[in-house]
């Protein structure tokens, strides 16, 4: 903004050229103020800050009421003092500025009118008042030699201080309010200096104060915009995170409801059979009652959600048996024989995964029986669930374990397999579809877990049967038959 003075240093300076340079500096300073108001207006569109909107209005007002007088000074040296000396018109300016910051100061609603448009209208009004004073008094410059002018000068000083105090007490950031207040005092001091010295051309010292004020306003506006953009980015990231958390919570709840519905169906079918006395007293009735107790207990633990248990050595047959009985109670034929394998897993998690696979087989196999078997492969145990249904649709296998993945004719929700796959990864195991077995028809899913039996254990005991559970035991052969 001081570039015009720099150009003069390269040429022979004269009083006329110095005056022209000063006026050009004033023009540049006013243009910078308009640019600052534009930045603040954009800031307001982001954060809807009422105090920033009033700042933009005030800055636009100052530039609009001053810029035409500066341009007029460039064409007529007789009116040059209006751009840098204090006049009675400046009292109108500061009073209107104080009104901008004071009227409705407690109202925190977003601004309804474009801040720059409001500043333009107010600026034109103040400009009209100043031009009216110029027409009535050709030499309206204040002088310290007249007591009337001293009173006007004092009034301007008081209102200027009140404007600065209003800014310091506003909702602006402290650093921004302090910088703007400093800019106000600097430009007031610059104009007071030019008034006291009764300068006939723009004093370079006063012009430096004007430029400093515009620089403080511009850098403050840019700084507040950068701060608002950072806050907006942080707030947006926070909202995205909260939305992701909410979505994850909804998905988890839907997964739990999905499993509870599947488990409840088996329990209800079992209770119905027990209550209808269709099964006479004997091993099968005891097995059915045992299934209802085991599944009800698992369902209760699912509802409480106390967190996962530690990994433990589990007999696969103890986990599979109640599920097979529950499926049979639902009318789903399942071929299964105890194999005596043990794995490292969590009981409820493994039961939920196998229940998902059996329920899917029942839903999609169209009445065909399902086979569940286990075998040891190296240090792992594979549990295979096979059905003889239509198998997977072409192209479905690549997204089989994604949320919502399902076939075109499926009545499922695409939740169970996705949850089962994730639960197996949490156990340190895996769940996959065996495409090689699909050549025989149907679909085969393989659950792989680390074996709880070492090779030395197997060498000493060729066939390890699972330990008897604390609940009433049922012969597994009867349960499977």
């Amino acid at each position: 903004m001081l570039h015009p003075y720099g150009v003069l240093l390269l040429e022979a300076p004269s009083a006329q050229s110095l005056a022209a340079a000063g006026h050009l500096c004033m023009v540049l300073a006013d243009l910078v103020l308009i640019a600052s108001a534009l930045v603040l207006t954009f800031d307001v569109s982001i954060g809807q800050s009422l105090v920033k909107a009033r700042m933009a209005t005030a800055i636009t007002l100052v530039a609009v009421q001053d810029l035409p007088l500066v341009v007029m000074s460039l064409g007529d040296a007789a009116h040059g003092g209006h751009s840098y000396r204090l006049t009675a018109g400046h009292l109108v300016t500061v009073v209107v500025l104080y009104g901008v910051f004071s009227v409705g100061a407690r109202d925190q609603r977003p601004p309804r009118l474009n801040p720059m448009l409001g500043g333009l209208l107010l600026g034109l009004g103040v400009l009209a008042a100043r031009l009216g004073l110029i027409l009535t008094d050709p030499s309206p410059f204040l002088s310290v030699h007249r007591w009337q002018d001293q009173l006007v000068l004092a009034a301007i000083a008081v209102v200027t201080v009140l404007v600065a105090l209003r800014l310091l007490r506003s909702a602006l950031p402290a650093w921004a309010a302090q910088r703007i207040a400093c800019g106000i005092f600097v430009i007031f001091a610059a104009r007071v200096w030019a008034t006291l010295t009764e300068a006939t051309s723009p004093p370079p010292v006063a012009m430096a104060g004007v430029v400093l004020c515009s620089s403080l306003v511009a850098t403050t506006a840019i700084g507040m915009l950068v701060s608002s953009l950072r806050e907006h980015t942080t707030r947006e990231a926070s909202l995205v995170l909260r939305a992701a958390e909410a979505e994850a919570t909804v998905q988890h709840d839907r997964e739990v409801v999905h499993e509870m519905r599947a488990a409840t169906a088996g329990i209800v079918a079992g209770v119905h059979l027990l209550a209808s006395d269709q099964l006479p007293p004997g091993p099968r009735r005891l097995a059915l009652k045992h299934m209802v107790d085991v599944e009800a207990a698992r369902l209760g633990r699912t509802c409480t959600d106390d967190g996962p248990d530690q990994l433990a050595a589990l007999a696969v047959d103890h986990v599979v048996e109640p599920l097979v009985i529950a499926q049979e109670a639902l009318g789903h034929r399942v071929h299964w024989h105890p194999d005596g394998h043990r794995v490292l897993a969590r009981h409820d998690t493994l039961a939920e995964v196998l229940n998902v696979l059996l329920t899917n087989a029942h839903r999609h196999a169209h009445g065909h029986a399902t086979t569940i078997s286990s075998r040891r492969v190296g240090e792992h145990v594979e549990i295979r669930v096979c059905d003889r249904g239509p198998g997977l649709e072409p192209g479905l296998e690549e997204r089989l374990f994604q949320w919502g993945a399902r076939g075109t004719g499926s009545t499922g929700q695409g939740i169970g397999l996705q949850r089962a796959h994730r639960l197996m990864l949490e156990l340190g195991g895996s769940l996959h579809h065996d495409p090689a077995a699909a050549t025989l028809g149907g679909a085969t899913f393989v659950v792989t877990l680390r074996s709880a039996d070492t090779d030395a254990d197997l060498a000493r005991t060729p066939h390890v049967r699972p330990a008897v559970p604390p609940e009433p035991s049922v012969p597994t052969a009867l349960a499977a038959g």
Side-chain angles (χ1 to χ4, degrees):
M1 284 181 283
L2 292 174
H3 177 71
Y5 284 108
V7 173
L8 285 176
L9 294 177
L10 302 178
E11 301 177 358
S14 63
Q16 185 177 1
S17 59
L18 282 173
H23 291 309
L24 288 175
C25 287
M26 291 287 294
V27 171
L28 293 176
D30 286 335
L31 292 177
V32 168
L33 288 180
I34 293 175
S36 303
L38 185 61
V39 171
L40 282 172
T41 301
F42 180 68
D43 193 350
V44 171
S45 68
I46 296 175
Q48 297 296 311
S49 171
L50 182 60
V51 66
K52 290 180 181 178
R54 295 190 172 187
M55 274 290 303
T57 299
I59 293 171
T60 305
L61 184 158
V62 171
V64 168
Q65 61 89 39
D66 190 60
L67 185 57
L69 296 177
V70 176
V71 175
M72 186 173 65
S73 300
L74 283 172
D76 186 358
H79 296 91
H82 295 289
S83 63
Y84 53 87
R85 290 176 62 176
L86 290 174
T87 66
H90 285 98
L91 180 58
V92 179
T93 302
V94 293
V95 168
V96 175
L97 285 176
Y98 183 75
V100 169
F101 288 109
S102 301
V103 175
R106 297 182 181 180
D107 187 5
Q108 296 303 318
R109 291 178 300 176
R112 301 176 184 177
L113 184 67
N114 183 286
M116 292 192 71
L117 178 59
L120 175 63
L121 297 176
L122 290 174
L124 292 176
V126 173
L127 176 62
R130 293 188 63 183
L131 290 175
L133 291 174
I134 293 174
L135 293 176
T136 57
D137 185 2
S139 180
F141 305 119
L142 298 180
S143 173
V144 294
H145 303 297
R146 297 191 297 267
W147 65 270
Q148 298 92 336
D149 290 353
Q150 293 176 2
L151 291 178
V152 175
L153 186 60
I156 295 174
V158 170
V159 179
T160 301
V161 171
L162 291 176
V163 171
L165 290 176
R166 178 65 69 178
L167 275 174
L168 292 173
R169 295 175 181 176
S170 68
L172 283 176
W175 64 269
Q178 292 169 4
R179 288 169 64 92
I180 298 296
C182 287
I184 291 174
F185 288 128
V186 166
I187 193 171
F188 177 71
R191 292 187 181 276
V192 168
W193 170 262
T195 301
L196 294 177
T197 58
E198 297 183 353
T200 56
S201 64
V205 174
M207 293 304 98
V210 171
V211 168
L212 177 59
C213 173
S214 295
S215 300
L216 286 172
V217 171
T219 54
T220 303
I222 294 173
M224 288 193 293
L225 175 60
V226 171
S227 178
S228 296
L229 291 174
R230 288 175 179 171
E231 291 177 3
H232 180 73
T233 302
T234 303
R235 185 166 56 251
E236 187 179 61
S238 176
L239 290 175
V240 170
L241 178 60
R242 289 171 61 185
E245 291 175 350
E247 183 179 4
T249 301
V250 170
Q251 286 191 2
H252 175 267
D253 291 343
R254 290 185 62 186
E255 290 172 359
V256 172
V257 170
H258 181 273
E259 171 57 21
M260 291 175 64
R261 289 175 59 186
T264 303
I267 294 172
V268 170
V271 171
H272 178 71
L273 289 175
L274 291 173
S276 63
D277 294 330
Q278 295 182 18
L279 290 179
R284 291 189 63 82
R285 185 176 181 86
L286 289 176
L288 190 61
K289 184 178 183 302
H290 174 68
M291 179 276 295
V292 171
D293 292 339
V294 171
E295 287 296 278
R298 182 169 72 87
L299 186 61
R301 290 190 294 271
T302 301
C303 294
T304 56
D305 194 17
D306 293 331
D309 299 328
Q310 297 295 325
L311 293 178
L314 299 177
V316 174
D317 298 334
H318 285 176
V319 179
V320 174
E321 180 182 354
L323 302 177
V324 172
I325 297 174
Q327 292 295 318
E328 290 181 342
L330 292 169
H332 179 204
R333 291 183 299 118
V334 180
H335 298 313
W336 166 72
H337 295 282
D339 295 308
H341 296 297
R342 298 195 310 157
V343 295
L344 293 175
R346 302 185 186 96
H347 179 278
D348 290 353
T349 302
L350 180 57
E352 180 176 346
V353 171
L354 295 178
N355 193 41
V356 167
L357 299 178
L358 290 171
T359 301
N360 280 357
H362 185 204
R363 180 181 295 123
H364 301 295
H366 305 304
H368 295 282
T370 299
T371 302
I372 180 169
S373 61
S374 60
R375 64 176 182 175
R376 176 161 175 140
V377 180
E379 296 182 350
H380 296 82
V381 172
E382 287 185 353
I383 306 173
R384 304 174 70 86
V385 179
C386 311
D387 65 59
R388 289 296 176 262
L392 299 182
E393 292 183 2
L396 181 60
E397 184 170 359
E398 292 145 2
R399 54 187 179 88
L400 187 60
F401 299 111
Q402 296 178 8
W403 177 271
R406 57 180 179 175
T408 54
S410 173
T411 59
Q413 299 176 342
I415 296 177
L417 285 178
Q418 179 269 343
R419 178 172 172 83
H421 184 262
R422 178 170 56 80
L423 291 176
M424 288 307 303
L425 293 178
E426 293 176 359
L427 288 178
S430 65
L431 169 63
H432 69 275
H433 173 254
D434 186 0
T439 57
L440 303 176
T444 298
F445 288 90
V446 182
V447 173
T448 304
L449 287 166
R450 187 173 180 81
S451 174
D453 296 318
T454 63
D455 292 335
D457 293 334
L458 293 177
R460 290 193 300 269
T461 307
H463 182 68
V464 180
R465 294 300 303 272
V468 178
E471 295 87 352
S473 181
V474 180
T476 54
L478 291 173

